Amino acid sequence: MPGTNLIVPVVLWGKHAPSHCVSSVYLSRDQKTLVTGCYDGQICIWQVNPDTLKMTPRCLLVGHTAPVTCLSRASIIQDNNYIVSSSEAGEMCTWDLVDGKCRESVKLTQVHTNIQAYHMCNSEDLRLFCNGYYAEILIMDPFSLEILFCLSSKMNPDWISALHVLRPSSRKDDVVLAISITGTVKVWSLLGHENKQSEPIYENESKQIRCLNALSLNCCAYNQRTVLVVCAKYCQIYDAGDFSVLCSIQAPSGERWMSGDFLATDRVLVWSTEGKGYLYKLPANSVPDHKGFHGPTVEHDSPVLFGILAHPDNKLLSCPPAMRFVTTSVGGKQRRLLLRGDSHGVVSVWSVDDAATPVPNQLPSHAPIVMTSLDMAWAEMNPSPVGILDQLSHTDEQEIKLTASIYLLAANRLVVGREDGSIVIVNATHTVQLQLLHGGHQQLDDWPPHQLLLGHNGRVNCLLYPHHVHPRYDRSHLVSGGIDFAVCLWDLFSGALLHRFCVHAGEITQLIVPPHNCSTRIQKCICSVASDHSVTLLSLTERKCVTLASRHLFPVVSIKWRPADDFMVVGCSDGTVYVWQMETGHLDRVLHGMIAEEVLSACDETVADELGGALAAGAGDLQGLANPAVHFFRGLRHRNLTAMRAATARGLAALAGAGGAAGAGPLAEPPRARRAPLTVQGFRSNPTDPESHILFFDIEGLIVELLSEEYSAMSPASLEAAGLITSEYMKVAALTQSASPDAAKRISDFFGRVKDKAGDMERILKEKDKHGILAKMKEGAETMQTKLQAKAEQLKGNVEHKGKCLV
């Protein structure tokens, strides 16, 4: 939440753990922190015991809008608890693992599939080597997330599918070894002084090999003579000198390889999409220390499988798990682990050292040494985490899932929609007190009282209180949308169902308030979006559908507004943009490609208070907008009178606000709105999860509220006894107080009559002074005063001159 106040968030998770389908996994080098990213965009931080590897979930980081594909360390210092994450939407964030704050974030046009942190020569800190759905290799700073320089391709430029950065033992420069999706191996040499202003950095060598769509590339860290390249159906060992194939390992039947790494010069670990790790012993021609290295392949000398790392139950997974091989050191002892996070949210850890030794004539299967998940952590908690409406559920009844919620700040009410179609309205303060504070109130069966609204046949998907968005709406109106294709209008105070809109042919997914500067009829409407790709404008006063926009071929992802042109702009998932006239419901045009993007961008560039009426009409909001002159000249160029008037009004308001602030003095504290002590925000990590709630406590607002209540209950004598006011203040206050209840009214009436008499006298004098006698007298008096003052100054000058002559 914005601002400088201290905001303390408290999460009411409920009795069910959030789903956490793991897409990436990372373990810190000190083995104290495990980080898992999921397909829903959240990142979970686990506290790890280095000795037992027991993991406990500590916090959930929310910031990405797409699956988290990459996790990497950010500093060379082991105790520096920072990581970098990247998503499929091109978002990159730097996180502080101690307090969970996002220190830096950017959104790039490039989407990374792999990030390797490496300490370059002549560099004080790590650099991130990134590859993905683009033809270059980006080298980025982990803290500023700035692209320092990039490595380009001169021969066969294409997407880089895998890379590995290393420093050869006999050289002082760094070498980047990479392979493109078409099978071209490239080598770059870096001296450490590369920057953004330098010339394009092209590869030193390149060679085409028969290896398409490689998934990973790793050079043997023990001798730097062999390279492991993993593809989906096979993995191969190459000679690093001439990149000739030494041996190949086929993927097991029904499985596909994901990645792999070297355990020794003659052993490799490769893992598959089924979540299993396979340990192989390499043949003699693939071991540099052997005399038969790079020799001809012998039929009986082939890779030998000597161990499998797998779950005993072999549970079916809905998507490939995230796996990672890590080498750590604790107390001077090296430990090698294989991490796995699957679609069920289970995190598994294998000790590779325990399985790295072959057993003659046996193929053992090794189970993980540690397994944990959020569901297991929830089951171990006693008491279990509480939910916002736990007082309404009974142990002998099945719990009803919460699906939508909205907090009414002015009424201090929490409105919660549930899976059975019911809507519950409770007092927010009482509900929070019941869940967080122990006391006698928890023994009451009927506390706090609640209101139940019944009208939907199935899950409630969304709720909207239009009066919170703009005061033009009725204070008593509450709108809800459900899975039953219906939009319901409720009387918030009586609980009555005022109207049921049945216009859509799909479940309602979103409710939006149109801008406040639309036409008068549209101002009384709300916009609803459904899963049948339709958009409607429903009038809350006329109780009917004003506009039905239902020709969209793909799901609706965004809605923009052009109130001055009476346009509603609908963006779909395929990139198509539909422009509708709001008043008539006429489809004005359908746009595709770049024109569609330009129209959506033009809607974003309009005056900010035309973007849905979400901004308050306060002077503080004007500070965050662009210069009003820019909008004025833009409106002048496009001949948009509405934009010109809005820019002029904003400019005058900004000048008036600046003048008021200047009059207050340079040391005056800037005015700021008084915030609510408590705010409740619904939260779901996955659409199928029940809704959890975040309670935001404003500490400063709480203190002000408590002190105000305490002072209002104290008498003046008790205030003086407490040292809050003085006796002099009491004397002045007594003088300003009237002796009788009607005295103040009589005094105000008296001064009003005196003021009126004075006005009448001035008007009469002006009417009688037809020939301007009073004005002439006033002008003559001012002239005489000017002459006398000039004569006095002249005499004073003569006296001073004579005095100087005598001297």
Side-chain angles (χ1 to χ4, degrees), residues 482-483 485-486 502-510 528-536 548-556 572:
I483 198 177
F485 308 170
C502 296
V503 184
H504 296 278
E507 60 178 284
I508 312 301
T509 58
Q510 196 174 6
S528 62
V529 184
S531 61
D532 66 333
H533 315 161
S534 63
V535 180
T536 60
L548 173 60
S550 59
R551 298 185 187 179
H552 311 122
L553 301 179
F554 288 86
V556 176
C572 297

Side-chain angles (χ1 to χ4, degrees), residues 72-138:
S72 173
R73 63 191 178 109
S75 177
I76 193 173
I77 304 173
Q78 185 168 344
D79 297 335
N80 197 321
N81 295 300
Y82 287 90
I83 64 165
V84 175
S85 62
S86 176
S87 72
E88 287 185 357
E91 304 156 338
M92 290 189 70
C93 299
T94 301
W95 304 91
D96 186 348
L97 298 183
V98 177
D99 55 8
K101 288 184 179 180
C102 180
R103 298 300 181 183
E104 191 65 50
S105 64
V106 296
K107 186 169 184 178
L108 305 175
T109 56
Q110 301 91 341
V111 178
H112 308 318
T113 56
N114 177 58
I115 297 178
Q116 180 180 346
Y118 182 79
H119 185 207
M120 295 179 58
C121 59
N122 300 327
S123 175
E124 296 180 356
D125 214 330
L126 292 178
R127 295 291 178 255
L128 304 178
F129 286 74
C130 311
N131 69 281
Y133 303 141
Y134 45 91
E136 297 85 13
I137 297 176
L138 303 182

Side-chain angles (χ1 to χ4, degrees), residues 652-693:
L652 293 175
L655 289 175
L667 299 180
E669 184 179 356
R672 55 182 176 179
R674 183 173 167 184
R675 252 196 273 236
L678 171 65
T679 305
V680 184
Q681 177 68 47
F683 166 75
R684 268 189 292 184
S685 60
N686 187 277
T688 61
D689 290 343
E691 192 165 66
S692 304
H693 294 83

